[in-house]
């Protein structure tokens, strides 16, 4: 019978178990100092020569005998003769024998070619760098177990160390497992998944100072995985197995480690990241990482990063942190340590954190994350408006210079971000897809600078303004026309199901892909249903939601939906046919304070630029004929 077990080991306890079980014995290698950046010294490094190794002039000027300058002042200048009382020197020149001070060139009055006049005296050894001022022979330049920085390399070379003894990098073998995996390619068949975790692991390991060794994909076969691990431990200091760490039918990692060595931990009390295997085989740590990328990357940091620093005997550095206010409520559960990826924006001087998707399989949540919120075990979460401590993934300066946009998804926002970066490289724009209503509410709560909106009002037949008057009546906001765009049915090439209207969605077997609640496209779809007297329950797939037009298009292209309402540019990106339904206005709602700021002026300038119009209209299905027009201002 297959064994099924996962523990809920506290993360710190699991980390302690593996650290206490490992006995690394790093080898020493001698490498050129010029190539030693980031390497860790194996022993103290002593100076072999002094720097400087002679008494050197610290300034351009003349070397003199200090006693010959005594008494010089503006009332009693002293004249000195070349060769008798002074010698010209440049910075770094040896001080000739018999001289013991330097007068700066700026303090000399040239009388003739061989005579100078000075107006102040100098003390012995003034403006002279004595032998060994920087480095003295026998002095410790760099201690052992020190990660070498650029300035360290200079000090080592100045002290005559052209080579340096360093600890060999820990060798970490990466073994991705999965029958469905293929090597990276732009051609992916149904049922195949590109293996990309190995590349991410390698990059992280290099960043931390390890030497990654990519084994290559191993299929879901117990014997093949076991043999790969047995071979890897012969040459590695650590082995990473990716996928197969849970308790499913083809999750072999824990059983392989159990057969070959000892399982220390199977499962940690975290969300995400629970299904991790940590063990030892032939004295080498084995880490079985989950297949889902977010879980895998977090566990990689918790265990592999910790072990790499333990190998070198270095303290594990902590990321900087910032206090932020929660923009939305976050709920946790008792007993598990929650790790929430968040975006952070600086809105009117206050840092606002908003959670990204908590799914362990969404790689882009790590790409888009500004930081990580850790919720301790036993804590039920945080309420909106509560202060939290965020571990930063991005520099705080970047976050402070980021325009926070939210609301409805549109590809024109990607174009706008690119133009903002080109116009001002110090400026960033991040956009989250929460639907038009979500965008309006974010502006209402002071959680965003801008929000993309395209809400159609059935009663007036107009876009956006009725909703602003309803939800933002007393707030300082400005509505800017961004683009006109075509909405329509996205269908497979040739429109095989013959979809031209909402009535066609009632055909047997037709599957629809909807947008999330609060999205303007969903409101438009509801309006079309109402115009034809149809009920949403008649639409198969109405409750299935996507957060962007591209997600809808991907579902149609992938065959999990026959159609969805969306924009032309998304259909074009997925090589779908497009049946136009209506032209709509997609606007940008700005807080008044942001609109009047320097950043707001820069954004508006980009919107009104010819470059924006050219790039957006090249996507197809767009018109920028009124881009940048002010449609509403609470102050007018």
């Amino acid at each position: 019978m297959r064994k099924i077990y996962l523990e809920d080991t506290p993360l710190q306890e699991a980390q302690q178990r593996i650290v206490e079980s490992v006995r690394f014995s790093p080898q020493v290698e001698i490498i050129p100092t010029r190539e030693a950046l980031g390497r860790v010294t194996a022993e103290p490094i002593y100076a072999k020569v002094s720097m400087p190794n002679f008494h050197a002039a610290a300034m351009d000027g003349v070397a003199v005998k200090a006693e010959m300058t005594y008494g010089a002042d503006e009332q009693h200048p002293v004249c000195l003769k070349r060769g008798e009382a002074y010698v010209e020197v440049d910075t770094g020149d040896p001080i000739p024998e018999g001289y013991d001070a330097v007068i700066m060139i700026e303090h000399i009055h040239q009388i003739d070619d061989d005579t100078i006049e000075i107006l102040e005296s100098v003390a012995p050894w003034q403006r002279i760098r004595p032998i060994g001022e920087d480095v003295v022979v026998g002095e410790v330049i760099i201690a052992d177990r020190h990660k070498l920085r650029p300035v360290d390399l200079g000090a080592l070379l100045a002290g005559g160390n052209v080579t340096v003894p360093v600890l060999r990098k820990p060798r970490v073998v990466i073994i991705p497992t999965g029958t469905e995996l293929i090597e990276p390619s732009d051609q992916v068949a149904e049922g195949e998944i590109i293996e990309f975790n190995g590349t991410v692991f390698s990059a992280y390991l290099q960043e931390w100072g390890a030497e990654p060794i990519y084994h290559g994909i191993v299929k879901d076969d117990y014997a093949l995985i076991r043999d790969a691990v047995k071979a890897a431990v012969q040459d590695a200091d650590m082995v990473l197995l990716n996928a197969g760490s849970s308790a499913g039918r083809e999750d072999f990692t824990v059983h392989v480690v159990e057969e070959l060595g000892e399982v220390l931990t199977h499962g940690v009390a975290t969300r995400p990241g629970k299904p991790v295997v940590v063990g030892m085989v032939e004295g080498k740590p084995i880490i079985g990482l989950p297949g889902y990328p977010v879980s895998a990357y977090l566990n990689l940091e918790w265990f592999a990063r910790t072990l790499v620093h333990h190998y070198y005997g270095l303290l594990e550095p902590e990321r900087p942190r910032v206090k932020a206010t929660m923009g939305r409520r976050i709920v946790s559960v008792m007993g598990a340590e929650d790790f929430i990826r968040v975006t952070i924006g600086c809105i009117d001087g206050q840092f606002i954190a908003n959670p990204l998707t908590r799914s362990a399989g969404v790689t882009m949540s790590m790409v888009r994350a500004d930081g990580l919120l850790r919720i301790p075990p036993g804590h039920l979460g945080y309420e909106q408006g509560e202060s939290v401590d965020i571990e930063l993934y991005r520099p705080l300066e970047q976050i402070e210079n980021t325009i926070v946009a939210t609301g409805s998804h549109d590809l024109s926002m990607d174009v706008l971000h690119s133009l903002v970066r080109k116009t001002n490289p110090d400026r960033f724009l991040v956009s989250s897809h929460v639907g038009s209503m979500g965008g309006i509410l974010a502006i209402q709560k002071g959680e965003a600078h801008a929000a993309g909106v395209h809400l159609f009002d059935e009663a007036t037949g107009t876009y956006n303004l009725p909703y602003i008057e309803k939800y933002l009546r007393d707030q300082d906001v400005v509505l800017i026309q961004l683009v006109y765009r075509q909405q329509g049915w996205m269908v497979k090439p040739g429109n095989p199901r013959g979809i031209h209207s909402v009535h066609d969605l009632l055909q047997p077997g037709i599957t629809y892909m909807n947008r999330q609640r609060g999205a303007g496209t969903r409101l438009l779809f509801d309006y079309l249903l109402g115009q034809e007297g149809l009920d949403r329950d008649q639409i198969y797939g109405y409750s299935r939601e996507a957060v962007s037009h591209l997600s809808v298009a991907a579902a149609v292209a992938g065959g999990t939906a026959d159609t969805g309402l969306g924009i032309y540019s998304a259909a074009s990106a997925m090589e779908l046919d497009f049946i136009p339904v209506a032209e709509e206005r997609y606007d940008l709602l700005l807080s008044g304070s942001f609109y009047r700021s320097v950043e707001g002026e820069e954004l508006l300038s980009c919107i009104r630029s010819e470059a924006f119009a050219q790039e957006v209209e090249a996507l197809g299905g767009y018109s920028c004929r009124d881009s940048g027009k002010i449609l509403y201002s609470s102050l007018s």
Side-chain angles (χ1 to χ4, degrees), residues 174-176 195-205 212 214 240 242 297:
I174 300 167
I175 307 174
E195 198 294 295
F196 58 85
N197 278 346
T199 297
V200 178
F201 297 166
S202 295
Y204 274 127
L205 289 165
Y214 184 74
L240 304 180
N242 187 212
Y297 304 160

Side-chain angles (χ1 to χ4, degrees), residues 318 409 516 628:
E318 293 187 1
H409 168 252
Q516 79 272 34

Side-chain angles (χ1 to χ4, degrees), residues 398-415:
Q398 284 189 19
I399 293 172
E400 291 174 329
N401 285 322
T402 295
I403 299 170
V404 180
T406 186
S408 175
H409 168 252
D410 191 83
L411 297 180
S412 61
M413 293 297 291
D414 298 327
V415 173

